[in-house]
Every structure is written in structure tokens, then in C-alpha cells.
């Protein structure tokens, strides 16, 4: 072999390796589940949970701490007692939730990144709400708006993440009253995927929706879902004024809202998995029903946040067996009502990105995927019970989502006959490495993780003996260096900036939520 040919072949190998290891930022389409769901409850047990939830709504009632909601419920025919406790007739609840759409199509700034939700179709969404972060040097600190932009850029480049979410980390360098404006702009500016909308106050929610109107055009929101609001309940059995006001803002503009009881199992629910689900189900039904009181036919998503509480310390725990069981059960309940549902994914309670974080996250993700969840939130970065978002964990979680995506698609049969033909070609004692079928299909046949090291220990030492955190942070730096901002129409960009400037002048710059201006 000539030296020139050796160089040529070596160069070809290097070129192919570069192609294989280069970041692929094409977003995966909506995940369509090809595996059966896990359903631990039989028909009678599903009905038992259902009837128990309806009895809670009728006999115990739910507190709606909001005078507008109380008047809405009175007009709808609910039994309101003690000023704000609403007792809901089971017939009224079931009649209301019938009008919730079973499917939602989301429209992104880039139409190629539109996604669908409901039935067998699911999306992955990054974590949100972390008051701290672990940065590119793995230092735990308070985040800034620039740090939030970093996470939005990473979310934009992760194939399995279908959304840029909203405040993945809380920008502590901005006054509270103005944060929602800059958070929303960052979501829109740094990614052309779908995003979430802030619901920190009714006025904030209205600002977000006004900005969506600027981005997508007048009247577009009336017939198209472009963002998602999250409204957390105060378990047990309370919905507060801030969340209900934000819910009304989203529903009136026909935008989906997550109706999310916040479960700390054993603290704000009974210390029983089945009874906790019965209470959570009652809370979710009451909010889902209220969305239809606000606007009949508007999209809504059965939501929840699940955690169990350590009876030793009172701290919330992630990855426990009961959380997995509750996910399976809630999936069954949501399918009984034929509404899309949300859960939380890849949760970790560890203080650093370590084995505990990995095991907790993997335990949660397997249950989430096998339970048939549709809106799979907190899918990247969550650690320390949500107190911080780790860049290292963010990029690894995103790759794990790609692995989960591949698994949940199910078995691929399209090349079965071709692959069997290769058996005849190779025969006993041969190998498939050079066969044309292998060459054509190896990249899609078996998932090859970029961030997991499967080399020999000798090769691992030769490559610097890096653990997964080091590899993840290097990968994140490489992604950010190669990031290209998706083009935003200049006129829309200017209009968004002008809106932020105007609202920043109108809203007092204080460290409190804007509820008046």
C-alpha cells in the first residue's frame, strides 16, 4: 500500500469519525409510542380510584381561593359553601371534562418542529424553575439571564428535546417584576422550538400571551396552540388566586394549561400510594373541569408533580418505587378520561451529578416511558430536588431521552427481510462487520451514545481517563461554540423588544410579582 493511499484512507476514516461525532441538531419528531403501557390496576381498581375521587369532590370539596372562580362555579351550578369551598357534583365534573380535546397540535416558530400530544404521542421538555445552577465549571451558583440563554441554546441543539421550556433557571440578575418578559424573550430568541409560558401571576401570563401574539401574528393563538402554562395546586385540595388567574388567561386565549397538583406523598397526601392517587385525581379533575367553565373546548392537560417525603428528614425524594407506581396509575386514570397528561422525568435528589442522580433519574424515566405520559416535563438537568440545574446532567439527560425515545418507538421491522438475507450471505463462523446491510444500517440499528464511554480501560486512560461529568461539560462547550441562532424576523424581534421596553416602564421595578400593572 502506498504512503499516499494510507494517508487517503486515514483521512477518510478521520472524516467519517468527524461526521459521526459532530453534533446533530435536527429535532426528533413527536415520539409515537410503539410499546404497550404498564397498567397495574384492573378495571375495578381504576373505577375504585375514580369513584373515590368523585366522592372527595362531592363530600369534602375543593377550596378555590379566588372570587372570580367562585362566581364562575356558582354560574356553572356547583355547590359553594363557606365562601370558597366548592363541592362538585360528579355528573357536572364528568360533563365538563368531556369537552377537553384528547389531542393537541403545537405550532413552533419553525414549522418543521411542530409536535403533537395525546394518545400514543409524547414530547420531552427540559426542567424549569431552578434557583441555582451548576455551570460549565460545575460550580453551584445563582444564575443570570445569560445563563438562561445558555440553557435555551443547549435545548435548541438537543434532538430529543422538543421545547425550550421557559425559566430553566431563575435569572437572579433581573428584578422579579420584569423577569417574565426577559425569560419569554430568551425562549423565543434562542430557539425556534415550542416553549412554555410564565404563569407567575395573571398579569404576567397576559404579557406572555401578548408576546406570543407578536411572534405568531394577530389571531393565530385563537386556533393554534403555541405555548403551555403550568398551574400548580396547593395540595391538599386547594387552588389559589394566582394560579387560577393565570389559568383563565391561558384558557381565554385557547392555549393549553397543565392542571398540576403538587404531591409530597405522606406530607400533603395520605401515606398510601392508592389514596394519594385518589386525592391527586380529585384535585386534577377539579382544575380540568374549571378550564371548561372558563372556555368550553379549550385544551387542557392532566398534570401533576410527584414526590414522596422522607419521614426521617421531611425532604422530598426522587426515584422511589411509589413514584413509579403512581405514574402507572395516573396514566390509567388520564386514559380513562381521554385527556393528555403530564408527568416529571429524570428527577434527581443528589447534590452533585453522581451515581445517585443517575439511578434516581433512570428509575423515574423508565416508569414515565412505560406509563404512557404525553407531556414529559423536567426531562433534562433536574438535580437536588429541583434546586439546581446542572449543565453536565442537562446534556446527559438529553442523550438519555434520545435513548428512551428509541426504545419507546418499539421494534423496527422495515429491514427484517434484508437482515435475514445477510444471515445467508455470512453463514456459519463469519462476521457481519463488512456486510453491506451492516454498513447501511449500523447507525440506526443500535443506539451509540456519545457521552457514555464503552472503550477498553486502556483506551479510556489514553483519552484522559475522563468521567461522564467531564465528557458532558466538554460536549456542552463544543455545542455552545457551534450554536447558530435561529433567524428571527427583524420586525417581530423589534416589536418584542419594544413590548418589553414598554412593559418594563409600566411595571414598577420591584422584587415582587406583578399583579396590578
Amino acid at each position: 500500500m502506498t504512503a499516499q493511499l494510507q494517508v487517503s484512507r486515514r483521512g477518510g476514516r478521520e472524516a467519517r469519525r468527524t461526521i459521526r461525532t459532530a453534533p446533530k441538531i435536527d429535532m426528533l419528531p413527536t415520539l409515537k409510542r410503539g410499546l404497550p403501557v404498564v397498567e397495574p390496576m384492573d378495571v375495578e381498581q381504576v373505577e375504585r380510584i375514580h369513584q373515590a375521587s368523585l366522592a372527595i369532590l362531592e363530600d369534602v370539596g375543593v377550596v378555590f381561593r379566588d372570587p372570580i372562580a367562585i362566581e364562575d362555579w356558582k354560574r356553572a351550578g356547583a355547590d359553594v359553601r363557606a365562601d370558597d369551598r366548592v363541592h362538585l357534583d360528579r355528573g357536572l365534573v364528568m360533563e365538563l371534562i368531556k369537552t377537553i380535546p384528547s389531542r393537541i397540535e403545537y405550532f413552533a416558530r419553525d414549522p418543521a418542529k411542530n409536535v403533537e400530544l395525546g394518545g400514543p404521542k409524547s414530547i420531552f421538555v427540559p426542567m424549569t424553575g431552578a434557583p441555582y445552577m451548576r455551570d460549565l465549571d460545575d460550580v453551584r451558583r445563582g444564575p443570570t439571564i445569560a445563563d438562561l440563554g445558555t440553557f435555551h441554546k443547549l435545548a435548541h441543539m438537543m434532538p430529543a428535546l422538543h421545547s425550550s421550556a421557559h425559566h430553566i433557571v431563575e435569572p437572579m440578575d433581573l428584578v422579579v417584576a420584569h423577569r417574565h418578559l426577559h425569560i419569554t424573550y430568551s425562549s423565543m430568541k434562542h430557539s425556534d422550538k415550542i416553549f412554555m409560558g410564565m404563569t407567575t401571576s395573571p398579569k404576567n401570563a397576559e404579557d406572555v400571551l401578548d408576546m406570543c401574539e407578536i411572534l405568531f401574528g394577530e389571531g393565530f393563538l385563537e386556533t393554534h396552540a403555541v405555548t403551555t402554562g403550568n398551574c400548580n395546586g396547593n395540595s391538599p385540595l386547594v387552588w389559589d388566586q394566582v394560579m387560577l388567574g393565570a389559568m383563565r388567561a391561558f384558557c381565554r386565549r385557547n392555549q393549553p394549561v397543565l392542571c398540576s397538583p403538587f404531591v409530597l406523598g405522606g406530607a400533603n397526601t395520605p401515606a398510601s400510594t392508592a389514596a394519594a392517587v385518589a386525592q391527586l385525581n380529585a384535585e386534577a379533575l377539579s382544575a380540568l373541569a374549571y378550564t371548561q367553565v372558563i372556555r368550553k373546548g379549550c385544551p387542557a392537560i392532566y398534570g401533576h408533580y410527584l414526590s414522596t417525603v422522607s419521614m426521617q428528614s421531611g425532604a422530598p425524594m426522587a426515584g422511589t418505587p411509589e413514584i413509579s407506581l403512581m405514574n402507572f396509575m395516573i396514566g390509567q386514570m388520564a386514559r380513562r378520561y381521554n385527556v393528555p397528561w403530564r408527568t416529571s422525568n429524570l428527577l434527581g435528589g443528589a447534590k452533585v451529578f453522581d451515581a445517585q442522580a443517575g439511578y434516581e433519574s433512570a428509575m423515574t424515566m423508565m416508569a414515565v416511558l412505560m406509563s404512557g405520559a404525553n407531556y414529559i416535563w423536567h426531562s433534562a438537568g433536574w438535580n437536588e430536588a429541583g434546586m439546581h440545574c446542572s449543565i453536565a446532567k442537562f446534556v446527559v439527560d438529553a442523550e438519555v431521552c434520545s435513548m428512551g425515545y428509541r426504545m419507546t418507538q418499539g421494534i423496527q421491522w422495515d429491514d427484517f427481510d434484508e437482515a435475514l438475507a445477510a444471515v445467508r450471505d455470512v453463514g456459519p463462523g463469519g462476521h457481519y462487520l463488512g456486510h453491506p446491510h451492516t454498513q447501511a444500517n449500523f447507525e440506526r440499528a443500535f443506539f451509540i451514545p456519545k457521552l457514555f464511554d464503552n472503550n477498553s480501560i486502556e483506551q479510556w486512560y489514553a483519552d484522559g481517563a475522563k468521567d461522564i461529568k467531564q465528557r458532558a461539560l466538554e460536549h456542552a462547550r463544543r455545542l455552545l461554540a457551534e450554536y447558530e441562532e435561529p433567524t428571527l424576523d427583524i420586525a417581530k424581534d423589534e416589536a418584542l423588544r419594544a413590548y418589553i421596553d414598554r412593559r418594563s416602564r409600566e411595571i414598577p421595578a420591584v422584587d415582587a410579582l406583578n399583579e396590578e400593572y
Side-chain angles (χ1 to χ4, degrees):
M1 184 181 294
T2 67
Q4 184 177 1
L5 183 58
Q6 286 178 325
V7 171
S8 174
R9 290 191 174 181
R10 186 163 57 248
R13 283 197 299 271
E14 289 299 318
R16 288 193 295 273
R17 184 182 179 204
T18 299
I19 292 171
R20 286 198 302 272
T21 58
K24 294 182 179 180
I25 63 172
D26 290 339
M27 190 184 86
L28 293 168
T30 302
L31 170 59
K32 185 175 182 181
R33 189 176 61 253
L35 294 179
V37 293
V38 173
E39 297 194 326
M41 295 189 292
D42 59 29
V43 174
E44 290 76 15
Q45 289 166 333
V46 170
E47 189 63 17
R48 189 176 182 186
I49 294 289
H50 171 65
Q51 293 299 332
S53 299
L54 296 180
I56 290 170
L57 293 176
E58 286 184 334
D59 302 336
V60 182
V62 178
V63 169
F64 283 76
R65 289 181 179 152
D66 177 63
I68 297 175
I70 292 300
E71 291 305 313
D72 288 341
W73 275 123
K74 287 178 178 177
R75 284 193 295 272
D79 177 12
V80 179
R81 307 176 198 170
D83 294 331
D84 60 2
R85 185 176 294 201
V86 180
H87 294 255
L88 293 170
D89 175 80
R90 62 188 62 206
L92 174 62
V93 171
M94 297 309 295
E95 189 63 29
L96 286 169
I97 66 171
K98 282 181 182 177
T99 57
I100 297 174
S102 60
R103 303 287 192 276
I104 300 171
E105 183 178 4
Y106 279 100
F107 292 80
R109 181 153 71 85
D110 177 1
K113 294 170 183 171
N114 294 353
V115 292
E116 298 177 70
L117 198 72
K121 295 183 176 180
S122 307
I123 62 173
F124 292 106
V125 181
M127 79 160 290
T128 67
Y132 295 94
M133 66 177 290
R134 282 192 174 271
D135 62 19
L136 286 164
D137 296 313
D138 199 36
V139 174
R140 186 183 186 274
R141 60 175 175 82
T144 65
I145 189 64
D147 294 319
L148 177 61
T150 292
F151 281 109
H152 284 153
K153 292 172 185 177
L154 290 172
H156 176 69
M157 300 184 77
M158 297 298 175
L161 297 183
H162 297 100
S163 170
S164 62
H166 47 23
H167 67 315
I168 295 173
V169 291
E170 191 75 24
M172 298 297 188
D173 56 335
L174 299 176
V175 294
V176 173
H178 296 170
R179 282 181 191 172
H180 66 289
L181 300 167
H182 299 276
I183 290 166
T184 303
Y185 180 73
S186 182
S187 303
M188 295 173 168
K189 178 74 170 173
H190 297 305
S191 177
D192 53 13
K193 298 180 179 181
I194 64 168
F195 52 89
M196 298 186 73
M198 299 294 291
T199 54
T200 41
S201 80
K203 294 292 185 183
N204 289 356
E206 290 169 8
D207 284 339
V208 168
L209 296 166
D210 287 346
M211 292 176 71
C212 290
E213 190 95 351
I214 293 170
L215 184 65
F216 289 97
E218 185 177 354
F220 192 82
L221 275 63
E222 184 65 21
T223 53
H224 300 81
V226 302
T227 190
T228 309
N230 177 58
C231 295
N232 283 122
N234 294 337
S235 300
L237 301 166
V238 175
W239 293 93
D240 68 34
Q241 188 171 15
V242 170
M243 291 289 94
L244 293 168
M247 182 183 292
R248 283 191 294 271
F250 272 76
C251 292
R252 286 169 180 163
R253 303 286 276 274
N254 209 33
Q255 296 304 297
V257 64
L258 307 173
C259 301
S260 302
F262 197 93
V263 170
L264 300 169
N268 63 7
T269 73
S272 159
T273 299
V277 170
Q279 177 191 301
L280 178 156
N281 191 56
E283 293 167 335
L285 287 175
S286 67
L288 289 167
Y290 184 56
T291 66
Q292 303 307 292
V293 172
I294 300 166
R295 177 171 176 160
K296 185 176 181 180
C298 70
I301 300 169
Y302 184 136
H304 62 79
Y305 171 80
L306 297 177
S307 179
T308 53
V309 171
S310 169
M311 294 302 160
Q312 294 176 320
S313 66
M317 298 185 292
T320 63
E322 292 75 23
I323 293 174
S324 296
L325 290 172
M326 284 191 276
N327 268 311
F328 296 143
M329 296 169 72
I330 292 162
Q332 289 186 260
M333 301 313 299
R335 286 187 288 276
R336 188 203 186 286
Y337 307 126
N338 197 28
V339 294
W341 71 285
R342 161 254 161 146
T343 191
S344 300
N345 188 29
L346 289 166
L347 303 182
K351 310 308 172 283
V352 295
F353 184 30
D354 60 6
Q356 177 184 332
Y359 286 129
E360 289 171 333
S361 297
M363 182 81 172
T364 304
M365 185 179 196
M366 288 303 296
V368 164
L369 294 177
M370 301 310 294
S371 64
N374 303 119
Y375 195 97
I376 306 176
W377 196 7
H378 301 315
S379 285
W382 181 288
N383 218 4
E384 197 188 337
M387 288 298 292
H388 82 249
C389 183
S390 158
I391 287 183
K393 191 172 187 292
F394 192 94
V395 297
V396 174
D397 285 350
E399 181 165 89
V400 172
C401 286
S402 293
M403 297 170 72
Y405 183 105
R406 174 72 68 86
M407 183 193 76
T408 312
Q409 283 181 303
I411 301 165
Q412 297 175 340
W413 291 92
D414 57 318
D415 67 334
F416 183 64
D417 292 334
E418 294 175 23
L420 284 181
V423 177
R424 299 179 182 277
D425 292 342
V426 172
H431 70 78
Y432 294 83
L433 295 176
H435 192 277
H437 178 269
T438 303
Q439 295 296 311
N441 290 277
F442 78 95
E443 286 190 280
R444 77 182 190 100
F446 305 111
F447 190 95
I448 304 174
K450 292 184 176 67
L451 298 176
F452 295 176
D453 186 282
N454 295 291
N455 292 324
S456 67
I457 192 166
E458 291 81 10
Q459 185 62 50
W460 181 68
Y461 278 123
D463 291 339
K466 299 171 185 175
D467 63 16
I468 192 166
K469 182 172 67 178
Q470 291 174 281
R471 294 193 300 274
L473 292 174
E474 288 179 2
H475 182 62
R477 290 189 182 94
R478 187 162 60 250
L479 286 172
L480 292 168
E482 298 176 3
Y483 168 80
E484 295 181 6
E485 184 174 286
T487 302
L488 177 59
D489 179 82
I490 294 174
K492 290 180 179 180
D493 191 27
E494 290 176 348
L496 287 167
R497 289 174 179 271
Y499 184 89
I500 292 170
D501 289 342
R502 176 173 66 81
R503 292 296 287 143
S504 295
R505 291 192 302 270
E506 293 170 349
I507 304 169
V510 296
D511 280 322
L513 294 176
N514 168 39
E515 304 208 47
E516 298 179 26
Y517 295 88

